[in-house]
Amino acid sequence: MYVLPVDREDPRPRVLIADDSAVTRFGVRTALEQAGFDVCGEAADSEAAIQLAVSERPDVCLLDMKMPKGGGVHAVREITRALPDTPIVVLTGSESGADLLAALREGAWGYILKDEDLTAITHAVQSAAAGERPISKRAMRELLREPPATDSP
Amino acid sequence: MSDPADPIFDADAVARLTEVIGDSSTGRLIDLYLGEAQDLLATIAAGIATRNDEEVARAAHSLKSSSASVGALTVSTVSARVETMAQSLQLDAVVVLLEQLRGAFDDVRSLLTAESARLSGGP
């Protein structure tokens, strides 16, 4: 006898949104739902994001970098540890190359800027769900422009 | 008071939102913004009173982003300055900026309230 995996009835990719702004969460949620995603959870702080990610096991996590209770980098690190195959897309106001590098080093899969319009943010989540890395071109340019940090005095 | 040459509101930002999420959702988003912005202004004031520069910077950062998304240009610009000042531990300078921030929000609130009513099919 073969035991077939139990598929969820809803085939839509599931996304977790974590941002301390209800305005941002509502805008992104609405755009993603209209694009065919199932937003399986919303979190307003880092700890809630980690708990929801572990319990809901979304297909993609979209995380703000500046959240209360630990910040986005903490959430990226913990979610990556718990769910190493789940792509995490960072949603941030910072186009600093150093911040991009820090997020990627902690396990972020993508990095997009908050001042992008909702269509671009939706495309970034679609790319991540498809296995591609959505990386802000502006942040990437900054990364290549900034002098490398030195590890030794 | 805002400089007439420096627009306080970008109607195109609202138009871009309606293109993606539709009129009624944009109206709801603006309503959310008007409530959240007042909460964040109160958080900034409380953070100044308790000398909590981290809280001031975080609230200003959030206000900067959400204001930009609804086209509240001056609120976003002044919030960015508050964030920078708080990050460099200059809370005394933030006291002055807070008054500018409140003024900028008062200026744009009626415009956004009208936009919300229009998008929601109200008067």
Side-chain angles (χ1 to χ4, degrees):
Chain A
M1 189 175 83
Y2 292 96
V3 178
L4 295 173
V6 179
D7 288 332
R8 289 187 314 113
E9 287 181 10
D10 188 345
R12 296 177 298 165
R14 302 168 77 242
V15 184
L16 168 68
I17 302 171
D19 194 299
D20 61 340
S21 166
V23 175
T24 301
R25 292 199 308 274
F26 177 79
V28 172
R29 168 191 273 271
T30 307
L32 286 173
E33 287 177 346
Q34 289 182 359
F37 286 91
D38 170 19
V39 176
C40 61
E42 288 185 25
D45 63 59
S46 183
E47 288 300 333
I50 295 164
Q51 285 178 18
L52 265 178
V54 171
S55 64
E56 292 296 323
R57 305 179 73 85
D59 297 305
V60 179
C61 291
L62 187 62
L63 300 185
D64 179 24
M65 275 291 93
K66 292 202 173 178
M67 286 187 288
K69 300 188 182 176
V73 170
H74 169 63
V76 170
R77 187 185 305 130
E78 293 303 316
I79 294 171
T80 300
R81 189 177 298 167
L83 306 168
D85 296 329
T86 301
I88 298 169
V89 178
V90 162
L91 181 62
T92 175
S94 170
E95 54 187 85
S96 145
D99 287 349
L100 164 62
L101 205 53
L104 295 179
R105 278 180 173 152
E106 292 295 344
W109 181 252
Y111 191 96
I112 53 173
L113 300 179
K114 275 192 173 180
D115 62 5
E116 301 277 2
D117 65 24
L118 289 172
T119 303
I121 294 171
T122 301
H123 285 162
V125 174
Q126 286 168 330
S127 299
E132 297 162 11
R133 274 189 187 268
I135 304 282
S136 156
K137 287 180 181 159
R138 266 155 52 204
M140 185 61 86
R141 269 197 294 271
E142 287 303 313
L143 175 64
L144 298 174
R145 189 177 298 156
E146 288 169 9
T150 51
D151 291 333
S152 54
Chain B
M1 211 163 83
S2 57
D3 181 347
D6 193 10
I8 61 169
F9 175 57
D10 174 20
D12 288 345
V14 172
R16 285 193 295 273
L17 284 172
T18 60
E19 279 173 22
V20 182
I21 63 174
D23 286 5
S24 63
S25 290
T26 302
R28 167 111 176 86
L29 187 144
I30 290 171
D31 292 342
L32 278 172
Y33 168 77
L34 292 171
E36 187 174 272
Q38 296 202 69
D39 291 345
L40 291 169
L41 286 168
T43 302
I44 291 169
I48 293 169
T50 56
R51 310 298 293 175
N52 187 339
D53 47 271
E54 218 170 280
E55 187 69 3
V56 172
R58 192 195 60 74
H61 175 82
S62 193
L63 187 56
K64 176 184 71 177
S65 294
S66 58
S67 299
S69 72
V70 297
L73 298 178
T74 311
V75 178
S76 182
T77 304
V78 180
S79 297
R81 289 167 59 199
V82 170
E83 182 186 13
T84 303
M85 291 287 190
Q87 284 169 338
S88 53
L89 312 179
Q90 299 179 60
L91 283 188
D92 292 333
V94 172
V95 174
V96 179
L97 287 177
L98 177 59
E99 288 313 305
Q100 285 184 34
L101 202 48
R102 284 177 170 144
F105 179 66
D106 286 344
D107 287 345
V108 81
R109 179 165 41 193
S110 56
L111 294 169
L112 284 170
T113 301
E115 282 292 294
S116 171
R118 178 181 67 80
L119 293 165
S120 306

